[in-house]
Amino acid sequence: MLKGFVFIDGLQICNFLRIEARGGRLAEVVRERGRFMGPDIMANVGLTTVDGRRVDAQVRMHFCPWIHAFQVELWETLDAPAGKHHDYQILDMMGYRGPITKVPAFAAALSDLDALRRIDLAFRENDVSYPSRVTISDADAAWDNYYQRNVQVPNTQDPSSDQNTVRQDGYGVDFQRGWFVRKVRDIPPVRYRNGMMEAGNPDANDANVIEMRWVLQQEFGGTVVFFHEVTIPPHTIEGTHQHIGSEELYYVFEGRGIAYMGAKDDPALARDETIPVVERKIIYGLDPKPCKKLDVGPGSVIYTKSGGIHGIENPYDEPLRFVAFLYHST
């Protein structure tokens, strides 16, 4: 996703947005329906300006062998200035639902690129299947809308409230270039009862509530999913869990606690017979699993890759706090 300017002979004529999508995730869900991707896909596009106004439209994206991806350019205007004309190769790509097109609803948002704050995207297969040429309805279409991605918002202090989980249903690109948070502790926490635990976990109870202050989520433009500060109050536990398709890093900066890591995840720990091995009931994997039991405190780092296991417990009388980054696995 990028935004930029169109020039003819050194004269700026309009602004534009360019969207490219490889379509790998979409191809998988299309195949599940016994269909092929075809030369085009559709994209739901939402533009949000710095004043909070949002406009939405659906556009068609065309496969380009030069970049081996689907593409579309949304221009503020397709008209050439007086006395000028577009190159014939550009003219061949212009038009309604063409690789270069104009969406009237986006004209105001594209008139000032500095005021364009955010774009939200969701991709669906073409409205005509290949090779059968049968029309595909929205209800039957395969979508890549980030598969129910959500953000955590402190709408209520009720632990594990559904009101705190807000569905996104798409990918987001935020054009803001920098963020400054003066004091993370001023961010209201989202509270979770028996976080990362399944029903029947022997460590679960009504008083087992941990807190997470979600500092950055949608703002990232790379593989980082979120950055948050976690508080494990005295005598509470974040359940032991296995990461599949994601990686997470913990950095402890306050308090003491007990961390659990898969017994074979870190070879150095696996060889150290002085570190006890315990069985832990986990989620996102088969129960139970042997884990190394580790003492942690300020300066401790726990890094868990896809397939790895971790969890953390605070058996002491003062809060345990750490910051966490979650990444997409590469």
Side-chain angles (χ1 to χ4, degrees):
M1 179 68 226
L2 62 87
K3 55 183 179 178
F5 314 102
V6 180
F7 292 82
I8 292 182
D9 298 332
L11 175 67
Q12 181 178 337
I13 63 169
C14 71
N15 302 326
F16 78 94
L17 289 174
R18 179 175 176 84
I19 306 170
E20 298 179 3
R22 296 289 183 188
R25 289 181 170 179
L26 183 58
E28 290 301 315
V29 290
V30 170
R31 287 172 59 192
E32 290 176 1
R33 288 165 167 77
R35 298 194 288 260
F36 296 100
M37 286 277 281
D40 303 335
I41 63 173
M42 315 297 288
N44 283 359
V45 182
L47 304 184
T48 303
T49 53
V50 291
D51 59 7
R53 290 181 296 175
R54 173 168 167 164
V55 288
D56 293 85
Q58 187 174 87
V59 300
R60 184 179 298 272
M61 301 182 65
H62 302 262
F63 185 78
C64 175
W66 287 9
I67 62 172
H68 199 71
F70 297 91
Q71 63 169 354
V72 66
E73 287 189 7
L74 308 176
W75 287 21
E76 185 182 359
T77 179
L78 302 184
D79 297 330
K84 302 289 184 180
H85 61 84
H86 293 297
D87 182 274
Y88 74 94
Q89 295 179 87
I90 299 300
L91 283 172
D92 190 51
M93 292 187 286
M94 283 181 165
Y96 174 67
R97 287 187 158 184
I100 299 174
T101 190
K102 174 185 175 181
V103 177
F106 291 164
L110 290 177
S111 65
D112 183 0
L113 291 185
D114 288 337
L116 183 59
R117 168 65 184 273
R118 178 179 174 83
I119 181 169
D120 288 276
L121 299 164
F123 306 99
R124 62 152 282 178
E125 65 179 312
N126 201 345
D127 49 3
V128 176
S129 68
Y130 292 86
S132 67
R133 309 293 297 180
V134 173
T135 300
I136 302 172
S137 66
D138 275 344
D140 185 46
W143 284 85
D144 174 8
N145 58 0
Y146 217 144
Y147 307 105
Q148 299 186 4
R149 182 191 185 187
N150 60 69
V151 294
Q152 300 295 297
V153 181
N155 290 322
T156 173
Q157 287 299 290
D158 294 337
S160 299
S161 170
D162 290 342
Q163 297 180 45
N164 295 331
T165 299
V166 179
R167 286 272 300 270
Q168 297 298 288
D169 287 330
Y171 297 87
V173 177
D174 197 313
F175 290 114
Q176 184 172 325
R177 293 175 177 169
W179 281 262
F180 172 65
V181 179
R182 185 172 299 278
K183 191 175 181 182
V184 168
R185 211 59 57 79
D186 288 340
I187 299 173
V190 178
R191 306 174 73 228
Y192 302 89
R193 179 177 285 112
N194 299 320
M196 296 298 177
M197 294 184 186
E198 292 178 324
N201 190 310
D203 294 321
N205 61 77
D206 288 345
N208 188 55
V209 177
I210 65 175
E211 299 180 347
M212 298 183 183
R213 288 175 166 84
W214 297 84
V215 184
L216 296 170
Q217 298 178 78
Q218 303 178 86
E219 295 81 4
F220 288 108
T223 60
V224 182
V225 179
F226 63 69
F227 165 57
H228 64 193
E229 179 189 284
V230 182
T231 298
I232 310 294
H235 309 290
T236 60
I237 301 173
E238 178 194 64
T240 308
H241 53 282
Q242 184 172 28
H243 277 261
I244 303 296
S246 63
E247 307 173 4
E248 192 168 24
L249 184 150
Y250 291 174
Y251 178 79
V252 179
F253 65 89
E254 183 181 324
R256 298 178 297 152
I258 302 295
Y260 300 96
M261 291 186 66
K264 297 181 180 180
D265 289 353
D266 184 331
L269 295 180
R271 292 191 299 268
D272 190 339
E273 297 181 356
T274 66
I275 301 175
V277 175
V278 296
E279 295 285 329
R280 298 293 292 174
K281 184 178 178 65
I282 70 169
I283 60 172
Y284 310 131
L286 300 175
D287 286 334
K289 291 280 188 167
C291 294
K292 285 285 187 174
K293 185 177 180 180
L294 309 166
D295 293 317
V296 296
S300 298
V301 173
I302 302 166
Y303 179 43
T304 302
K305 295 180 72 174
S306 180
I309 296 169
H310 68 184
I312 198 161
E313 175 182 4
N314 180 6
Y316 303 108
D317 294 332
E318 68 274 5
L320 167 66
R321 292 190 172 96
F322 61 91
V323 294
F325 293 85
L326 186 78
Y327 308 81
H328 290 299
S329 293
T330 56

